[in-house]
Amino acid sequence: MSVGAQIDAVYTDLKAAFDRVDHSILLAKLDKLGVGSSLKRWLRSYLLDRMLYVKLGKVQSEYFSNLSGIPQGSNLGPLLFMLFINDISLLLPEDCRMLYADDIQLFKTVRNTADCLELQRLVNIFLQWCSNNLLTVSIAKCCAVSFHRKSNPVTFNYTMCGQIVARVDTVRNLGVTLDTSLTFRPHYNEIVAKANRQLGFICKITEEFRDPICLRSLYCALVRSILESNSVVWCPFNANWIAKIETEQRRFVRYVLRFLPWRNEYQLPEYADRCQLLGIQTLERRRFEAQAVFVGKILSGEIDAPNILQQLNLYAPERSLRPRNLLFLPQRNVAYGQHDPIRFMSASFNAVATLFEFHITATAFRQRLRG
């Protein structure tokens, strides 16, 4: 985005992915991975000969055994599915696919139609792999999106099994709504609207409540969690959006402190001081700390993310003539580039880098930030 490129992405959807994992194929893959015979026998007994039945009202079917499916709600379920799907990485280039459980995205930098045809080829490879592994793609739930800031982007209709994949302007990726320009504005609107509804619900059911601590617990669990999920990725830098998101907590603080004996309700303490009365921080401050702590976890190894770690450039001069930031920040020509997630969180970390030490835990680092 910073260099004006266009990225086309195809978001796929597997129909009942965990329920359609074929047992014989999974066991064959475990054998190829070198799983020992005793462990493989144990896994075989875990998967095979499970007796099931269907019940509708008072009518119940006879017992039958299934030939596919991984028990869901178990610790082994996600692991077995990842082992089952992992070999798709041998067919698709590393820089053109992302996998998270059954969420698979294929993407490519697009300069011309030839690049689009190459992405279509990768989609065909994915479809063939699904067919070979007896998985079904829900084409109606798949979509294509172009990330760019061009006035005349390259357009191409991607297809699956002869059907054109729906093209969208926004897509939800692991809880974050992405728009074509990666401004996160649709995501801001969604979380503010959702938090507003949830806060209204809390206010409605707690009319008789008088304990601020109880109300704070409800707010933190049901409202603040919405406003902070994945915030290190979408953290806003525009003052308007910062204020709009903060408005939801302002409403809550005013609501929960309504029973305190204010001498003049029209001259209340500053918003940050009112937050301190409840033992909470402003959302802006919490996002800042989340960014700094996240970088600290990457540097100390608490989070194992090599791709992010290699983008954090430690400044190590041959000799120190003047104070320098711990992390080097690459130059960006526009405000959008200056606030891309990696650079933005690196800047937040630099502001408090003197409090960080490689041997301390993230909890200790956070306590120092709040001390």
Side-chain angles (χ1 to χ4, degrees):
M1 298 293 285
S2 297
V3 300
Q6 173 184 336
I7 302 289
D8 277 11
V10 176
Y11 286 76
T12 66
D13 184 271
L14 296 176
K15 186 181 297 183
F18 277 63
D19 294 330
R20 292 174 181 255
V21 172
D22 185 90
H23 294 159
S24 60
I25 297 177
L26 173 59
L27 292 171
K29 291 186 178 185
L30 293 177
D31 188 51
K32 286 188 175 182
L33 288 171
V35 175
S37 57
S38 58
L39 178 57
K40 193 169 67 173
R41 284 196 303 270
W42 184 82
L43 291 172
R44 180 188 294 273
S45 68
Y46 176 74
L47 293 171
L48 302 184
D49 299 327
R50 286 180 174 269
M51 303 309 296
L52 312 174
Y53 68 90
V54 177
K55 186 174 183 180
L56 181 61
K58 296 182 179 180
V59 181
Q60 177 179 315
S61 71
E62 295 182 357
Y63 284 91
F64 61 92
S65 61
N66 60 325
L67 301 177
S68 65
I70 295 174
Q72 298 188 39
S74 63
N75 292 329
L76 271 179
L79 174 62
L80 290 174
F81 183 82
M82 285 189 289
L83 293 174
F84 179 84
I85 204 172
N86 189 57
D87 60 355
I88 196 174
S89 60
L90 302 176
L91 304 176
L92 301 173
E94 184 177 359
D95 59 347
C96 292
R97 43 86 177 161
M98 289 191 296
L99 289 79
Y100 185 85
D102 59 340
D103 289 325
I104 302 173
Q105 296 100 43
L106 308 175
F107 59 92
K108 186 170 180 58
T109 302
V110 171
R111 303 175 186 83
N112 47 49
T113 306
D115 292 326
C116 297
L117 292 173
E118 175 62 17
L119 180 56
Q120 178 65 61
R121 188 183 70 85
L122 297 177
V123 171
N124 295 338
I125 291 176
F126 166 75
L127 293 173
Q128 185 61 49
W129 180 90
C130 291
S131 176
N132 295 340
N133 289 271
L134 305 182
L135 294 177
T136 303
V137 179
S138 180
I139 301 177
K141 294 183 179 180
C142 297
C143 63
V145 60
S146 296
F147 298 105
H148 65 89
R149 290 197 166 190
K150 294 182 174 182
S151 56
N152 296 308
V154 179
T155 57
F156 186 86
N157 288 327
Y158 298 98
T159 61
M160 289 184 174
C161 303
Q163 299 183 42
I164 296 178
V165 178
R167 183 168 285 276
V168 297
D169 294 326
T170 61
V171 63
R172 193 168 180 82
N173 191 345
L174 299 180
V176 179
T177 301
L178 306 176
D179 60 293
T180 56
S181 299
L182 292 181
T183 62
F184 296 111
R185 290 171 188 167
H187 183 75
Y188 299 153
N189 284 322
E190 283 185 15
I191 63 173
V192 169
K194 186 176 180 181
N196 188 48
R197 292 192 300 268
Q198 198 75 317
L199 183 56
F201 172 73
I202 290 177
C203 294
K204 184 176 180 179
I205 67 172
T206 59
E207 293 179 352
E208 309 264 335
F209 284 40
R210 295 295 184 271
D211 186 357
I213 304 303
C214 178
L215 291 170
R216 183 189 67 183
S217 298
L218 286 172
Y219 166 77
C220 293
L222 302 177
V223 179
R224 192 173 71 179
S225 58
I226 297 173
L227 297 171
E228 292 186 337
S229 178
N230 301 308
S231 62
V232 295
V233 174
W234 54 260
C235 186
F237 63 91
N238 185 285
N240 291 334
W241 286 112
I242 292 174
K244 190 172 182 179
I245 295 172
E246 200 76 45
T247 297
E248 298 305 313
Q249 181 160 294
R250 286 177 176 271
R251 283 183 56 208
F252 166 74
V253 171
R254 181 178 287 273
Y255 172 78
V256 79
L257 295 180
R258 69 193 187 282
F259 299 115
L260 294 184
W262 304 109
R263 294 181 179 179
N264 187 343
E265 61 178 319
Y266 298 104
Q267 293 182 356
L268 299 177
E270 294 291 332
Y271 165 63
D273 295 333
R274 281 179 278 153
C275 288
Q276 287 186 354
L277 290 175
L278 288 173
I280 60 178
Q281 295 175 299
T282 65
L283 296 176
E284 183 178 9
R285 176 63 187 183
R286 284 180 59 84
R287 289 194 299 270
F288 170 81
E289 289 186 1
Q291 287 182 309
V293 171
F294 181 81
V295 174
K297 287 182 177 180
I298 295 290
L299 294 176
S300 63
E302 286 193 44
I303 295 179
D304 182 20
N307 290 336
I308 298 180
L309 180 60
Q310 69 182 4
Q311 296 181 63
L312 302 178
N313 301 313
L314 288 171
Y315 185 79
E318 294 182 0
R319 54 178 181 167
S320 180
L321 300 178
R322 57 181 178 177
R324 294 277 189 174
N325 290 327
L326 182 59
L327 298 179
F328 172 76
L329 303 181
Q331 292 295 323
R332 296 287 190 267
N333 297 326
V334 295
Y336 173 84
Q338 292 174 359
H339 296 89
D340 76 67
I342 298 295
R343 193 183 189 282
F344 197 3
M345 67 179 67
S346 297
S348 299
F349 177 81
N350 278 340
V352 292
T354 55
L355 301 176
F356 174 76
E357 295 181 39
F358 286 92
H359 66 276
I360 65 174
T361 63
T363 302
F365 182 35
R366 190 185 295 275
Q367 289 174 349
R368 289 186 179 185
L369 292 176
R370 296 180 178 178

